[in-house]
Amino acid sequence: MKAVRIHKFHEPPVIDEVAEPKITGPLDVIVKIGGAGVCRTDLHIIEGQWDSRMGTPLPYILGHENAGWVHEVGSAVTNVAVGDTVILHPTPTDGLCHACRAGDDMHCENSTFPGLSTDGGMAEYLLTSARACVKLDPKTQPKDVAALADAGITAYHAVRKALPLLYPGTTAVVIGAGGLGHIGVQCLAALSATNIIVVDRNPEALKLAEQLGADHTVVADGRHVDAVKDLTNGKGAHVVLDFVAEQGAEMDGWNMTGAAGSYYVIGYGGTLTVPTLDIISTERNVIGNIVGTYNELAELMALAEAGKVTLHTRTYPLTAAPDALADLDAGRVRGRAILVPE
């Protein structure tokens, strides 16, 4: 089968011909990929930023946002059958550790992360587990929802954590209306009555945010922190969801957060430098976010199938993966890029 593999960090991936995965365990599932999302994390992986945490042997297959059709199942699989349409939770889990038992499976002690720690889904087939499969309406096209497997669940997870703080009359700022942020805006609009302010440097992204439920949009032009303060009567936001968190956005996010407010970090790459006096004197919170639970992915798919969350995508053939990654890196992709095997 064809697969998109990294051979060396700091070099573009290549399209290789590799062996198809095989069932080896009773709960294994092989999925025929119908769509694999292209994520900024893939750019960070290529740069080697995840190597110290994952130590993944090279070469390996990229792709951690995957959806498709069940192709083959292990002997003990009962929740899905061959032919079912599925989206895959990005971290197959053991179901036995304390985190899994507590419903916090994203922190499973023995999980894998296809596309980061093992071979991923930028290929024709992917080996995963029964526990990772969320069964979808058979009318759902995998290429239309694949990016919800990571970008979607990450945005939803952050919004869901913030919901108790977002009662009517509050303000939430979304920094970055790109691949994750445009999903975050929809989740906020669907699940809360908060006032939504979206900040982005791209006017087209802001137009999309307005269509998706933003109450106000602000161009990131160097005066955007003051603009957010003006929109919040000088107080700052109750919640800031930072889908960028690099190149200065991380400090902007902190400075937009009001007293007793919460700054949710979803993007990464930058460094937040904050005097501890500023933290205690204002009681502002910094909250990290990554991925989400299996149940949160199932909840997000319920929103998606009800038409309340939609992905804005641009598809590429699997063999054009280097082009998709280059377009993403250059800011030429609005929404999400999706690879579709021929």
Side-chain angles (χ1 to χ4, degrees), residues 66 86 91-92 99 120 133 137 184 203 217 238 254 292 301:
N66 305 302
V86 292
T91 56
C133 297
D137 185 312
T217 59
H238 296 82
W254 172 257
M301 295 314 301

Side-chain angles (χ1 to χ4, degrees), residues 18-52:
V18 300
E20 294 180 10
K22 302 294 184 184
I23 295 286
T24 60
L27 293 174
D28 285 352
V29 175
I30 293 175
V31 173
K32 178 178 173 61
I33 295 296
V38 181
C39 177
R40 293 205 71 82
T41 291
D42 295 314
L43 299 177
H44 293 307
I45 291 168
I46 292 168
E47 293 165 2
Q49 292 185 22
W50 281 89
D51 185 42
S52 62

Side-chain angles (χ1 to χ4, degrees), residues 4-300:
V4 181
R5 294 206 297 175
I6 292 180
H7 287 257
K8 292 182 179 179
F9 295 122
H10 308 290
E11 292 185 6
V14 298
I15 312 302
D16 287 338
E17 197 70 37
V18 300
E20 294 180 10
K22 302 294 184 184
I23 295 286
T24 60
L27 293 174
D28 285 352
V29 175
I30 293 175
V31 173
K32 178 178 173 61
I33 295 296
V38 181
C39 177
R40 293 205 71 82
T41 291
D42 295 314
L43 299 177
H44 293 307
I45 291 168
I46 292 168
E47 293 165 2
Q49 292 185 22
W50 281 89
D51 185 42
S52 62
R53 292 184 180 270
M54 295 297 183
T56 311
L58 297 177
Y60 82 100
I61 302 170
L62 288 170
H64 56 277
E65 299 179 336
N66 305 302
W69 303 274
V70 174
H71 179 70
E72 188 177 352
V73 299
S75 60
V77 175
T78 59
N79 60 318
V80 292
V82 172
D84 284 346
T85 305
V86 292
I87 189 168
L88 304 179
H89 188 276
T91 56
T93 53
D94 65 11
L96 300 172
C97 67
H98 181 273
C100 286
R101 299 282 193 184
D104 191 26
D105 49 333
M106 60 177 285
H107 293 125
C108 173
E109 297 170 10
N110 300 297
S111 66
T112 59
F113 207 138
L116 277 83
S117 68
T118 60
D119 281 336
M122 289 187 186
E124 295 178 66
Y125 297 93
L126 170 68
L127 175 65
T128 185
S129 77
R131 281 183 56 82
C133 297
V134 177
K135 189 175 176 180
L136 302 178
D137 185 312
K139 297 191 295 293
T140 302
Q141 292 299 309
K143 64 183 175 62
D144 294 336
V145 299
L148 293 177
D150 183 49
I153 191 178
T154 299
Y156 181 81
H157 174 66
V159 170
R160 201 176 189 281
K161 283 166 65 174
L163 282 179
L165 307 175
L166 296 177
Y167 49 86
T170 58
T171 296
V173 171
V174 172
I175 300 177
L180 274 77
H182 89 283
I183 303 169
V185 171
Q186 294 175 80
C187 292
L188 283 169
L191 300 176
S192 79
T194 194
N195 184 45
I196 304 169
I197 301 172
V198 178
V199 179
D200 199 292
R201 63 187 179 186
N202 189 302
E204 292 302 315
L206 294 177
K207 287 181 183 177
L208 176 60
E210 289 176 348
Q211 297 168 13
L212 298 177
D215 297 293
H216 303 279
T217 59
V218 174
V219 179
D221 59 2
R223 297 169 291 178
H224 45 285
V225 174
D226 289 336
V228 168
K229 291 287 184 68
D230 289 342
L231 288 168
T232 55
N233 298 316
K235 296 179 180 179
H238 296 82
V239 166
V240 174
L241 298 158
D242 188 351
F243 292 95
V244 180
E246 61 178 340
Q247 301 178 22
E250 64 275 22
M251 292 309 304
D252 292 342
W254 172 257
N255 291 326
M256 291 174 187
T257 306
S262 295
Y263 170 52
Y264 287 74
V265 183
I266 303 123
Y268 62 95
T271 301
L272 184 64
T273 304
V274 180
T276 50
L277 179 60
D278 284 1
I279 298 173
I280 67 162
S281 63
T282 62
E283 289 200 321
R284 279 177 284 181
N285 307 296
V286 179
I287 301 169
N289 303 270
I290 189 168
V291 197
T293 68
Y294 178 95
N295 283 343
E296 286 171 334
L297 180 56
E299 292 167 13
L300 175 62

